[in-house]
Amino acid sequence: MKDEIEKIKVESTEELKKIQDLKELETFKVKYLGKKGSLTTILRGMKDLSAEERPVIGSLVNQVRDLLENLISEKEKELQRKELERRLQTENIDVTEPGKRVKLGSIHPITQIINEVEDIFLGMGYEIADGPEVEKTIYNFDKLNTPADHPARDVQDTFYITDDIVLRSQTSPVQARVMENQKPPIKIICPGAVYRSDAVDSTHSPVFHQLEGLVVDKNISMADLKGTLEIFAKKCLGENTKIRFRPHHFPFTEPSAEADVSCFVCGGKGCRVCKGEGWIELLGCGMVHPNVLRNCNIDPDVYSGFAFGFGIERIAMAKFGIDDMRLLYENDARFLKQF
C-alpha cells in the first residue's frame, strides 16, 4: 500500500503540471480527493490493515493529501491570474465609443386617463376606493336595486362564477361596500376593470375600465351633480367644454340622466369625432336611489347623494381621437408610442 501511495503522489503531481484551465483542475481534484478519489479509496481500505500498519498508512495518505491541497491551491491562483490576463486582453472596452440608447416606454393611454381623472377628483376632495373584481351578486346587483329578474343579471350580459359570484359588471359594488361600512359624508371615486359578456368590436370589449363617483351627505341635489361634472369636463376636455343632461333610466339612481359634452374638437359645430351632432355621450349619472341608500343602512330621509360612472376607454378614444377600442389592447408599440 505504501508503493501505491507513492505512485499516486508521483502521478498526481506530474498530472497537475499539465492542467491548463480551472475546469480541468476541478476534475483533477475530484479524481484524487473526492469521495470516490484515489486517496479516499485507500483510506476506506485501511480497515483491512493491522493495528500497527494503520497509523503509518494514515500518516502517508495525509501527507500526500496535504501536498495535493497546497499544490491545487497554488495552481488555482495561477490559472485565475492567467484567466484575468486573458480577459483583460480580449475584453477591452472602448470608453470613447458612443453608448447604446435605451428606449424608454410610455404610460399606456388608459392609465394616463385614469391618472388624470383621479388627479381632478382628488383636487375636489374625493377619495379613491377599491374593491374585488370577483364580486358577490348581492353587492353587484341586489344592494344596487337590481332585482333577480332584471335583464342585466342574465347570463348573456354577466360572467357568472357561481350563482352567487360574478365578475363585477361595474365598479358600483365598491360604492355599496363603502356605504355599508362608512357613515356619511361619503365622497369617493372607484376606478377599475369591469367585465361584461360583450362581443369584441370597435366600441365593445368583454373587459374594460370604468370610473364611478359617489357623494352621499345631507342636502345633496342634482345641481351638485351637474356642477361637479361641469368642473370635471372642463378640466379633462378643455375649458370651453359644455355639458347637457338627457333623461335616462338606471335602477340605482332616480332621477337618472345621460350626460353629453360638447365636442372638444369642433366646439359643437359637428365633425367626424362627434358624428356631426356637436355632442359626445360621456357618462351616466343621477341621484342615488332611496332603495340603494336603504339597502346600505343609510336613512334616505336624512341623506341624499349622487352617483356617476363612465368608461375610461370612451374618454381615451374621445380625447385622443381613437376610432377603434381594440387598438388600446393590441400592445402595438407603433400605436402606443404616439401617446
Side-chain angles (χ1 to χ4, degrees), residues 101-120:
R101 186 173 182 177
V102 178
K103 294 183 179 180
L104 298 178
S106 60
I107 299 176
H108 193 280
I110 291 176
T111 306
Q112 287 185 42
I113 297 298
I114 292 175
N115 292 342
E116 182 179 345
V117 173
E118 286 181 346
D119 286 343
I120 292 172

Side-chain angles (χ1 to χ4, degrees), residues 82-105:
K82 288 182 178 180
E83 175 65 14
L84 179 59
E85 291 174 354
R86 184 193 65 78
R87 292 184 60 187
L88 288 173
Q89 292 176 359
T90 59
E91 299 180 10
N92 291 337
I93 299 175
D94 184 357
V95 295
T96 64
E97 183 180 356
K100 294 181 180 178
R101 186 173 182 177
V102 178
K103 294 183 179 180
L104 298 178

Side-chain angles (χ1 to χ4, degrees), residues 50-271:
S50 64
E52 293 79 12
E53 291 179 308
R54 286 177 190 170
V56 176
I57 297 301
S59 177
L60 289 174
V61 171
N62 288 333
Q63 289 177 18
V64 175
R65 177 183 291 274
D66 291 342
L67 173 65
L68 289 181
E69 287 178 348
N70 291 332
L71 293 174
I72 289 172
S73 179
E74 292 175 2
K75 190 70 174 182
E76 185 175 24
K77 292 177 182 178
E78 177 189 342
L79 293 174
Q80 288 175 343
R81 184 177 66 256
K82 288 182 178 180
E83 175 65 14
L84 179 59
E85 291 174 354
R86 184 193 65 78
R87 292 184 60 187
L88 288 173
Q89 292 176 359
T90 59
E91 299 180 10
N92 291 337
I93 299 175
D94 184 357
V95 295
T96 64
E97 183 180 356
K100 294 181 180 178
R101 186 173 182 177
V102 178
K103 294 183 179 180
L104 298 178
S106 60
I107 299 176
H108 193 280
I110 291 176
T111 306
Q112 287 185 42
I113 297 298
I114 292 175
N115 292 342
E116 182 179 345
V117 173
E118 286 181 346
D119 286 343
I120 292 172
F121 282 104
L122 288 172
M124 290 192 282
Y126 283 71
E127 296 179 353
I128 299 174
D130 193 16
E133 295 181 16
V134 180
E135 184 59 274
K136 296 180 179 179
T137 53
I138 189 172
Y139 289 106
N140 199 71
F141 296 120
D142 297 279
K143 287 185 178 291
L144 300 175
N145 202 37
T146 307
D149 58 353
H150 194 279
R153 300 184 69 154
D154 192 274
V155 293
Q156 300 299 319
D157 291 318
T158 302
F159 290 110
Y160 280 83
I161 307 301
T162 68
D163 290 342
D164 301 319
I165 303 293
V166 298
L167 298 182
R168 68 181 183 188
S169 54
Q170 61 268 330
T171 57
S172 305
V174 181
Q175 298 181 22
R177 287 178 176 274
V178 171
M179 285 189 286
E180 190 177 66
N181 294 286
Q182 179 180 328
K183 294 182 179 180
I186 298 171
K187 199 173 183 182
I188 60 169
I189 54 171
C190 318
V194 297
Y195 307 85
R196 295 182 187 175
S197 185
D198 291 336
V200 177
D201 59 29
S202 61
T203 57
H204 295 85
S205 171
V207 54
F208 56 100
H209 298 78
Q210 265 192 345
L211 187 142
E212 298 192 11
L214 171 71
V215 172
V216 178
D217 203 350
K218 294 178 181 179
N219 303 316
I220 298 297
S221 69
M222 200 79 170
D224 299 312
L225 170 61
K226 192 167 189 294
T228 298
L229 294 181
E230 282 182 342
I231 292 173
F232 161 67
K234 289 180 181 295
K235 287 185 176 295
C236 184
L237 301 174
E239 285 298 324
N240 295 322
T241 304
K242 297 178 182 179
I243 192 166
R244 72 176 184 183
F245 283 177
R246 290 180 290 107
H248 197 71
H249 169 73
F250 299 110
F252 32 82
T253 53
E254 180 60 38
S256 304
E258 288 278 9
D260 301 334
V261 292
S262 58
C263 180
F264 59 89
V265 175
C266 66
K269 297 178 181 179
C271 67

Side-chain angles (χ1 to χ4, degrees), residues 17-22 24 75 79 82:
K17 294 176 183 178
K18 300 176 183 178
I19 290 177
Q20 298 297 321
D21 59 50
L22 292 170
E24 290 181 8
K75 190 70 174 182
L79 293 174
K82 288 182 178 180

